[in-house]
Structure formats: C-alpha cells, structure tokens
Amino acid sequence: MSTIEKKAWWKEAVIYQIYPRSFMDSNGDGIGDLCGITSRLDYLAELGIDVIWLSPVYSSPNDDNGYDISDYRDIMKDFGKMEDFDHLLAEAHKHNIKIVMDLVVNHTSDEHAWFIESRKSKDNPYRDYYIWKEPRDGGAPNNWQSCFSGSAWEKDDATGMYYLHCFSKKQPDLNWENPAVRDEVFDMMNWWCEKGIDGFRMDVISMISKDPDYPDGPVKDGLYGDLMPYVCNGPHVHEYLQEMNRRVLSKYDLLTVGEAAGVTVDEAKKYANEEGTELNMVFHFEHTDAVSNKGSVVGKWTTRKPVLDDIRPIMNKWQTELEGKAWNSLYWDNHDQPRAVSRFGDDSTEEFRVLSAKMLATCLHMMKGTPYIYQGEEIGMTNTRFRSVEDCRDIEEINAYRQYVTDHHMVSSEEMLKCFETVARDNARTPMQWNSEKNAGFSTGTPWIPVNPNYTDINAEKALADPDSVFYYYQKLIRLRHETPVIVYGVFEPLLTDDHNVYAWRRVLGDQVLTVACNWSDQDVSCDLFENLSDGSEELISNYKSHKKGVLQPYEARVILSSLS
Ligand code: GLC
Ligand code: CA
C-alpha cells in the first residue's frame, strides 16, 4: 500500500500547449496572435485545463518560428505588443488559467544584440557569449551535423572562426560556461517572474553543457557525425540548473518542465528530483523516437507507425522507475511531433478516429504524471497532406529535403513526402480548426500554412455541439483528475505486459484502486480484467456505452475505480 507523497499544484494540473502562430488570428494577417488567444480563453476554460504553455512569443526573425529569439524582453511583432501579453496574462488569471512561458536559452537568434556584437571581433566583450572555434584543416572544427541538417558549424567572415549552432545557422548556441551568460539569463527569467507568469517550459535544456573536447561523432547517414552524445546531459548541466533554481526558480511558485533530448531515466531522476533542486519534470523522447531509428529511410524520416509493443515497455519503464524519485510529464504530441491520433491511433475512418483519440487520451491521462494536451488534440485533429515540398513551412523539413533529396539523391521526393506525412512537424502546425467556415475560422486572411482539408468534418464548433465528441471526453478526463486523488498520486502497477493489443495497469492509493485497460487494435480482443469486479466498483470513464463480456471492442478504453478491502 502506498503513502501520499508530496502534493503540488503542478502534479494535479493539466497543461494545454498553444502554438501561437497557428491558434487564432485576430487581425486577418494569416498569423495567429496574442489577442487571438485571449479571445479563446472561454473555450479553454470550458475544456477545464489549468495551465497554458505558450510556445515562444518573443521578438524573433522566425527562422524557426520563434525558437530563435532576438529580444527576450519584447514581443514578436506578428503576435502583438507587450500590452497584449499583459492583457492575456491578466485575462487568463481571471479564468483561473496559469501561463507557462517557453524559455529558449540554449541558443539565441543570430539577430540578437549579443550575437551581433559577438561576431564583430575576437576581443569583443560579447565574444565568449557564444561558442567559437578555429577551423580544422581549413574546414569545420568537427563533423557534427546540426539537428536541422548540414554542418553544426558556420564560418563567420569577420574573424574566419566557426560558431556552433546545434539547430539552424540562425540559432547560435550560447556559451553557458561563461558566468555572464548565466547572469543575463537568470536576470531575464526573474524579470518575467516579476510580471507574474507561472512557469517555464525550457527548450532543449539538456543541451546547455557541451563535451569540452568537441570530438567527432559517429557517422550514420554517410554525411555527418551525430552530435547528440556530446551535447546532451553534458558535464555541467545539473550544476547550471541548480544555480538557476537557487537564483530564480526557488523564489517563485512555478511549474518548470525541461525539454530533455537524450534524457535517460537515470538522468531524469536528477533533473526532476523530488527534493526540488532542479526542475519539476522533464519531457523525454523515448516513445516519440521509438521507431524513428528502426527501419527509417534516413535520419528521423520514416513511414513506420509504432505499435503497442514498441510503446508499452518505454512508458512502463518511466512509470515504475521514477516512482517516488521524480515526477513524470505525459504527452503524445506537441508542435514538434505528428498528430497523436494519426501516429499512435487510427484516423482511417471517422469512427476509429474518434474511438482511438479517446482511447489514447484515457491511456495518457490515467498514467502517473502531469498530462500535456497539444492544441487540436482535444478535437482529434489529424496529420495533413504534403503534395510537394512547397507545402512545407518548417525549416527542419525544408533542409532535410534539400540534403537528402535534392543534393545527395539518397531518397526520392515521393518517399520523403510520405515520411513527412508520417512524422513532419508541420502536421501539428496547421491552423487550429475552429469551425467549417473559410480557413476553419482561424483567419479571415490567407493562413501562413495551409489549413488541413478535413476541417469541415473536424472542428471545435462541431465537437462542442456533440455530447459524444472527443472534446467532452477530454473535459471529463480533466474533471476526473481534479476530483480523484488516485489519478494524480496512485502508484502505477503494470498488468498484462505480454498482451500485444491490450495496454493495462492499476493505480493504487490507500485502499483505492484504479484499473485501466485500453485496446490499441481495431479488432475485438479478449480481456478478463473486468469480469470479477468487487461490489461498489464504479466505471469512471469509457469510450463505449456498452461492454461485451470478456472482450474489449476496437479501441475500447475502460477505467474502473474500486476499493481494495
Ligand atoms: C525544441 C523546440 C523546437 C525547436 C528546437 C530548437 O526542440 O521544441 O521546436 O525547433 O528546440 O529551438
Ligand atoms: Ca494576426
């Protein structure tokens, strides 16, 4: 039997991620904005979420849609002004919704004032704000490939030296070894906290400390070396986060979640330790990367869909190994991933789309950890179509296409577009589908990225009019979490771990037991977990109104609350 662990509001909360560019356009320029978000707070309050995670809204030349920041204390022109932000924050708080900011401090934009200075000369006071190296044999200092294709190093003509950019060449990496950089970042964070924001989602925070030797990486695609082993979970990362915790985080009541590429369970126990010396929780990538390295065409580009046997061992490992030591975050998708229902569920028919979206939601929200919903997931939005590379807006896709299709002929255009339809980030970035009017009600102008053509069938207005919609199912899951401590704090115990179709487990808190079973297949499958329920057992939620004895129907999910005694 378990004891109640440390309670915290961020353990009990449900987070909703907004990608502002694609959420709601208030002024008809085709780009979502802050006033657009404010205008939809009633919708979010109806859904019942506690927190908005806002993808970056700071000044940016938008090489990577705001993940390249040129001024941390100002708002991107496309999104509005600082007073629009202040208004959004105040209105969100009136709706009892907190706001968590995206903190992108592994790198800045090359248009940030620090970098403009840094590149001027070797003795500029800002030189050491970034990572500069001399050429090796007249070329790049090592063989690292940037996460957005091509070399991770860019030669700068002013001094003939190279700077490191783990992402695009317009995203130079900050040098966290320099105490002045840490001072600047922590000052800026305190400035936002003083404004009253409620937390930070920290972009690629596991990458802020690099291997000081900068060794060549293993070559996988015949072109460049892998940099991840040398930039993730580096020698000083925990020291820097503990300093951040002392100088900023511990002074406020915040939610903190680190995006932690390359994180293992053991590393996560440090980042998200229960003592609270670093962060509240991290995002790992093991389930989203489960098949990207198996049978991939090249790099992360694959057409393979994961099955339950790929996913369950990963999720169960994180559930059981963090128990009592660190807190989990739970997500199926975000702005960097394809749509959950298309990747892990089944969007082949309308019936299966709705059933599997609800099944996946049940699965995630009944695990232990803080659940994240990505905009549109709550209405079961799906992946989109890519007729040609012209349909792509994302720098990751455009660069990968150039490298693998155009320059090196390693993949055909058709194959690459199929991979895009399976895993490209733009699948998540098509405009939020509000209604069946022009541009899905997102904008009166031309949207910056094409709307998914299925918006007349899948949209929020339709969902709100249908009591059996995916929306109301999410609403119920959120309400149940707020009412039922075992959903938040119950210990996770895996069940039926050899079943290829049924994902099942229990959650136990005191004498309360939650039994969860989810059928990941499109067939009836046998399952006797619910055959001998004790008296007083109660079905908390299911995506089917009637059940078959000893059977779970296609994509059926059931959650039963009972008492141990
Ligand atoms: C993170 C962001 C992603 C961005 C990258 C570089 O992974 O989520 O959108 O491209 O960092 O900032
Ligand atoms: Ca706009």
Side-chain angles (χ1 to χ4, degrees):
M1 218 174 279
S2 61
T3 50
I4 292 196
E5 64 196 291
K6 256 189 237 166
K7 288 196 166 185
W9 68 264
W10 44 264
K11 293 181 176 176
E12 298 171 14
V14 177
I15 322 302
Y16 186 93
Q17 183 192 353
I18 291 183
Y19 195 67
R21 208 170 192 76
S22 306
F23 192 63
M24 183 66 210
D25 174 20
S26 71
N27 63 352
D29 65 357
I31 300 175
D33 46 53
L34 294 173
C35 293
I37 298 171
T38 309
S39 74
R40 295 294 181 173
L41 286 171
D42 288 343
Y43 170 82
L44 298 176
E46 169 80 7
L47 182 58
I49 52 107
D50 306 283
V51 180
I52 293 170
W53 148 25
L54 212 50
S55 275
V57 295
Y58 316 91
S59 295
S60 165
N62 279 308
D63 194 48
D64 185 20
N65 289 350
Y67 284 91
D68 48 321
I69 296 169
S70 53
D71 185 346
Y72 290 102
R73 299 183 198 221
D74 204 355
I75 297 295
M76 188 193 301
K77 289 203 176 57
D78 288 341
F79 291 171
K81 299 196 175 70
M82 191 56 85
E83 61 201 54
D84 301 321
F85 177 83
D86 294 336
H87 183 61
L88 168 60
L89 183 63
E91 288 299 309
H93 285 167
K94 279 189 208 156
H95 284 78
N96 269 321
I97 294 174
K98 297 182 193 288
I99 297 219
V100 161
M101 303 293 281
D102 218 309
L103 182 79
V104 189
V105 289
N106 173 69
H107 44 268
T108 69
S109 163
D110 66 339
E111 298 182 33
H112 193 289
W114 302 335
F115 191 75
I116 292 172
E117 284 302 310
S118 184
R119 77 193 321 177
K120 281 183 180 163
S121 67
K122 291 186 182 176
D123 57 7
N124 188 283
Y126 288 89
R127 187 65 168 182
D128 286 337
Y129 272 46
Y130 295 87
I131 299 170
W132 292 96
K133 299 280 176 214
E134 295 291 351
R136 182 178 71 180
D137 308 327
N142 68 24
N143 72 355
W144 291 358
Q145 164 151 254
S146 109
C147 297
F148 293 159
S149 305
S151 172
W153 299 94
E154 182 72 8
K155 186 174 181 181
D156 198 53
D157 289 337
T159 59
M161 287 176 73
Y162 284 77
Y163 64 87
L164 176 69
H165 58 89
C166 291
F167 295 90
S168 100
K169 63 181 183 211
K170 286 183 67 62
Q171 294 168 296
D173 279 55
L174 282 165
N175 175 19
W176 274 70
E177 288 186 22
N178 180 352
V181 166
R182 305 203 296 277
D183 288 347
E184 297 265 18
V185 169
F186 300 154
D187 280 356
M188 175 273 284
M189 292 173 73
N190 278 317
W191 185 84
W192 280 99
C193 289
E194 289 301 321
K195 254 184 184 299
I197 61 138
D198 304 289
F200 296 104
R201 174 270 184 186
M202 302 184 187
D203 193 65
V204 289
I205 203 70
S206 56
M207 290 169 64
I208 58 176
S209 169
K210 278 78 177 173
D211 182 328
D213 295 336
Y214 291 85
D216 278 341
V219 179
K220 285 186 186 154
D221 60 6
L223 300 174
Y224 294 95
D226 185 10
L227 87 176
M228 295 309 256
Y230 315 103
V231 301
C232 295
N233 312 306
H236 301 293
V237 67
H238 297 290
E239 177 189 319
Y240 297 153
L241 288 175
Q242 285 161 22
E243 183 183 349
M244 178 194 284
N245 188 293
R246 281 194 305 276
R247 295 178 57 184
V248 185
L249 310 178
S250 58
K251 299 196 283 172
Y252 305 91
D253 184 19
L254 304 173
L255 179 156
T256 56
V257 52
E259 190 207 18
V263 71
T264 57
V265 161
D266 285 334
E267 279 294 326
K269 289 179 194 163
K270 301 183 204 160
Y271 286 114
N273 66 73
E274 274 280 302
E275 289 72 51
T277 58
E278 297 187 20
L279 307 176
N280 296 155
M281 56 192 134
V282 290
F283 293 126
H284 72 78
F285 288 87
E286 289 194 30
H287 62 312
T288 56
D289 287 349
V291 298
S292 49
N293 301 318
K294 292 185 206 160
S296 76
V297 175
V298 61
K300 80 172 226 183
W301 306 103
T302 182
T303 53
R304 208 186 124 183
K305 274 183 67 166
V307 295
L308 178 58
D309 285 334
D310 296 314
I311 300 304
R312 175 176 44 214
I314 294 169
M315 302 305 268
N316 284 3
K317 176 181 73 179
W318 282 84
Q319 287 289 302
T320 52
E321 294 196 20
L322 291 198
E323 176 59 44
K325 305 197 173 76
W327 191 253
N328 269 294
S329 68
L330 304 168
Y331 74 99
W332 288 132
D333 58 3
N334 59 41
H335 67 294
D336 294 330
Q337 304 294 338
R339 290 283 175 181
V341 71
S342 303
R343 179 187 245 178
F344 300 108
D346 187 342
D347 62 7
S348 66
T349 67
E350 176 60 9
E351 189 192 359
F352 284 169
R353 180 186 72 82
V354 171
L355 283 170
S356 67
K358 293 176 181 175
M359 182 279 284
L360 288 169
T362 317
C363 207
L364 199 78
H365 286 243
M366 292 300 147
M367 286 187 195
K368 187 165 182 178
T370 300
Y372 289 73
I373 300 171
Y374 178 67
Q375 68 183 41
E377 182 187 325
E378 79 283 12
I379 55 170
M381 278 177 62
T382 67
N383 282 355
T384 191
R385 258 190 263 153
F386 294 86
R387 289 155 303 185
S388 78
V389 68
E390 310 298 310
D391 282 343
C392 298
R393 296 290 179 276
D394 175 16
I395 183 170
E396 184 185 37
E397 291 149 37
I398 294 167
N399 287 359
Y401 188 94
R402 187 188 309 126
Q403 177 163 310
Y404 295 122
V405 181
T406 314
D407 293 349
H408 293 279
H409 310 290
M410 290 164 68
V411 190
S412 73
S413 175
E414 295 69 37
E415 264 180 299
M416 200 62 172
L417 294 173
K418 284 243 153 48
C419 294
F420 286 172
E421 293 190 343
T422 315
V423 288
R425 307 196 299 181
D426 276 338
N427 287 302
R429 300 177 180 187
T430 62
M432 177 68 189
Q433 292 163 206
W434 292 107
N435 56 41
S436 49
E437 285 153 37
K438 187 180 165 207
N439 300 324
F442 161 73
S443 174
T444 55
T446 306
W448 69 278
I449 185 172
V451 174
N452 189 319
N454 66 19
Y455 71 92
T456 47
D457 297 318
I458 304 172
N459 63 61
E461 195 177 83
K462 266 189 122 172
L464 287 166
D466 171 7
D468 286 331
S469 68
V470 178
F471 179 93
Y472 289 116
Y473 196 88
Y474 269 88
Q475 184 190 58
K476 185 168 179 189
L477 284 169
I478 297 167
R479 197 182 66 233
L480 285 170
R481 165 169 298 260
H482 293 152
E483 293 167 352
T484 324
V486 64
I487 295 178
V488 180
Y489 295 108
V491 174
F492 179 96
E493 296 175 3
L495 297 171
L496 311 180
T497 49
D498 295 328
D499 196 306
H500 299 304
N501 300 308
V502 179
Y503 195 176
W505 62 89
R506 306 202 306 170
R507 302 280 306 283
V508 181
L509 182 73
D511 70 347
Q512 299 244 288
V513 191
L514 206 64
T515 307
V516 184
C518 297
N519 179 2
W520 277 55
S521 85
D522 60 2
Q523 308 286 320
D524 276 6
V525 296
S526 61
C527 172
D528 55 14
L529 275 181
F530 303 116
E531 293 320 300
N532 300 305
L533 293 174
S534 56
D535 292 349
S537 294
E538 180 196 350
E539 179 169 282
L540 287 190
I541 192 164
S542 175
N543 56 354
Y544 275 80
K545 290 204 173 75
S546 63
H547 306 291
K548 288 191 192 164
K549 201 173 160 29
V551 162
L552 287 175
Q553 300 160 85
Y555 301 111
E556 180 167 356
R558 287 186 80 182
V559 181
I560 306 288
L561 181 65
S562 43
S563 143
L564 267 184
S565 46

